[in-house]
Amino acid sequence: MLKLGFEMNGKRLAIARQRKGYSRPELAERLGVTPRTIGGWESGAVIPEDRIPSLVQILGFSRSFLELPDPASVSTGAVSFRSLSRKTASQRDAALSMCDLAVDLSAWLDPRFGRNSVNVPDLSSEEPDFAADLLRRDWGLGTAPISNLVHLLEAKGVRLFALPENCREIDACSFWYDDIPFMLVDTTRSAERIRFNLAHELGHLILHRHGAPVGQVAEKEANVFASNFLMTIGSIQRHLPREMTIDAIIRLKSRWGVSAAALAYRLNKIGYLRDWNYKSMVIEMRRRRYHEVEPSPIPHEQSYVLDIVLKTLLNKGISLRLVAEETHIPHAEVVGLMHGLATVAISSHDIASPNERRATLRVV
């Protein structure tokens, strides 16, 4: 029987389109069809065979990706976005599609590398500041500063990945999928900002697992949680400077791994920095452009899990191109999900080894 078209998964087509940042009308114009036609394809209509090569070339996703079963289909309502006010619809959709790809990659990694079970409790009934104290108690952290937040989150079962370039106005996002917590973060930010973004997203995961509250209320609650979780009153009391100056705050901030602005804000909120003094500090820090370049920056934290993954693949002669082939995710997207999170050079995995062993990697 003559095959007249290509039966693909329309949801996969939507992911590929959103990852490229195209609206339906934009993709339709590039293909020479109508937006209604694109909508039909994404709803499951058969694509004419002669359209497939152009579709694959424009989107950069393989035919095999478009034939995969249904994706996670992470919805807008299920994802908490950092920097909510700045994101555009295309950035939001690009990030949502990246969330789906992160679930796909995690599904490949988990059975091969024995990822940790999840220990991220539901504290949605608690106030944000009390939830931070409860979580520290549950995780046995006491009141001391957290030395490496990335390692801590991974140890508790959070699947952590990087955000791609065309999503970076978002800073970070988080969601639950199949009772597994995911975070995606812009790794090009300062280390201090990344730590606060991760703590902020942790707040969303434990406070808003069931989707309420939303909007600015949820953002404010996640900020309160993050501030309390990273900078406990007990640890601040033990290290208070004799004089509350900007220079003193800059010297202290690395103890908690936060920005000068975040520490000054916390000191004001718990009553150790008077309002007039805090306001003058904010003005002076802005004059010094600390909002653009963090003073006395700390080193970026790296993923322990992804480092192990890359080292193991490298030792076994397995390239990320093979990972991309087996997951059907474009190589650039696989690299993008790991960018800035591992110390092992991702470029080392760009060239496939002739000794690659397919579907045999299992490290648990």
Side-chain angles (χ1 to χ4, degrees):
M1 181 177 178
L2 181 64
K3 186 176 180 181
L4 299 177
F6 170 40
E7 295 184 14
M8 66 169 186
N9 192 325
K11 294 178 181 179
R12 291 284 175 179
L13 173 59
I15 288 175
R17 172 179 61 78
Q18 291 169 347
R19 274 299 305 124
K20 296 297 288 187
Y22 293 142
S23 65
R24 286 178 179 173
E26 288 170 336
L27 179 57
E29 183 178 358
R30 287 176 173 270
L31 284 170
V33 299
T34 66
R36 185 175 180 179
T37 298
I38 300 297
W41 292 347
E42 292 185 358
S43 298
V46 175
I47 301 178
E49 189 69 29
D50 62 353
R51 295 289 186 181
I52 305 306
S54 295
L55 193 62
V56 168
Q57 181 180 18
I58 290 170
L59 296 178
F61 280 75
S62 66
R63 183 171 182 144
S64 61
F65 176 85
L66 300 176
E67 293 176 311
L68 289 174
D70 282 354
S73 294
V74 179
S75 65
T76 304
V79 179
S80 296
F81 291 104
R82 186 84 167 111
S83 298
L84 189 70
S85 62
R86 294 203 305 272
K87 78 176 190 299
T88 65
S90 63
Q91 289 171 334
R92 178 204 63 203
D93 290 345
L96 284 172
S97 62
M98 205 65 178
C99 291
D100 285 309
L101 297 183
V103 172
D104 285 345
L105 182 57
S106 185
W108 189 90
L109 292 172
D110 288 354
R112 291 168 173 80
F113 290 87
R115 301 288 292 274
N116 290 321
S117 58
V118 175
N119 178 15
V120 180
D122 179 0
L123 299 177
S124 54
S125 62
E126 307 295 345
E127 292 298 316
D129 52 352
F130 188 53
D133 293 338
L134 285 178
L135 186 63
R136 275 182 161 269
R137 190 181 310 167
D138 183 68
W139 285 357
L141 301 176
T143 61
I146 297 167
S147 60
N148 193 308
L149 184 57
V150 169
H151 289 181
L152 175 65
L153 292 173
E154 290 182 323
K156 301 305 178 182
V158 176
R159 275 48 170 177
L160 184 60
F161 295 99
L163 275 171
E165 187 174 356
N166 64 340
C167 303
R168 287 176 181 165
E169 284 299 316
I170 291 170
D171 273 7
C173 64
S174 61
F175 61 97
W176 287 89
Y177 180 75
D178 265 358
D179 293 324
I180 296 175
F182 285 80
M183 287 188 194
L184 281 77
V185 64
D186 177 5
T187 57
T188 67
R189 304 291 186 181
S190 70
E192 292 86 350
R193 183 164 175 172
I194 291 173
R195 274 174 60 92
F196 197 90
N197 287 342
L198 291 175
H200 175 100
E201 294 306 323
L202 178 61
H204 282 305
L205 289 174
I206 70 166
L207 293 171
H208 309 132
R209 183 169 181 173
H210 307 294
V214 296
Q216 293 304 315
V217 174
E219 290 298 291
K220 186 174 293 185
E221 289 186 351
N223 277 337
V224 171
F225 170 88
S227 188
N228 281 266
F229 186 70
L230 291 175
M231 298 168 280
T232 64
I233 293 178
S235 65
I236 288 176
Q237 287 174 334
R238 286 192 294 273
H239 300 286
L240 279 176
R242 292 182 179 180
E243 293 184 79
M244 288 293 182
T245 65
I246 291 180
D247 290 339
I249 286 175
I250 291 173
R251 287 194 298 271
L252 277 176
K253 74 184 186 71
S254 62
R255 183 176 297 276
W256 293 280
V258 298
S259 67
L263 180 54
Y265 181 86
R266 178 70 167 143
L267 290 170
N268 174 249
K269 284 298 181 182
I270 61 178
Y272 289 111
L273 191 58
R274 295 179 183 274
D275 287 346
W276 65 268
N277 198 4
Y278 171 67
K279 290 177 182 177
S280 64
M281 277 191 183
V282 170
I283 294 171
E284 177 60 19
M285 284 191 286
R286 193 156 191 87
R287 188 190 69 79
R288 298 185 187 184
R289 309 185 77 83
Y290 287 171
H291 61 291
E292 296 178 357
V293 180
E294 183 65 32
S296 300
I298 63 174
H300 281 74
E301 297 176 356
Q302 303 294 316
S303 165
Y304 175 78
V305 171
L306 295 182
D307 225 22
I308 291 296
V309 167
L310 290 174
K311 286 178 181 176
T312 304
L313 293 176
L314 191 60
N315 289 338
K316 290 181 174 288
I318 298 174
S319 72
L320 285 183
R321 294 190 182 278
L322 179 62
V323 177
E325 182 182 327
E326 291 195 352
T327 58
H328 305 282
I329 301 173
H331 174 256
E333 303 292 0
V334 173
V335 171
L337 284 165
M338 299 183 179
H339 180 74
L341 285 174
T343 57
V344 177
I346 291 178
S347 60
S348 302
H349 297 77
D350 281 348
I351 301 175
S353 164
N355 298 319
E356 285 182 334
R357 288 163 283 176
R358 298 172 183 269
T360 60
L361 178 63
R362 182 175 178 82
V363 183
V364 297

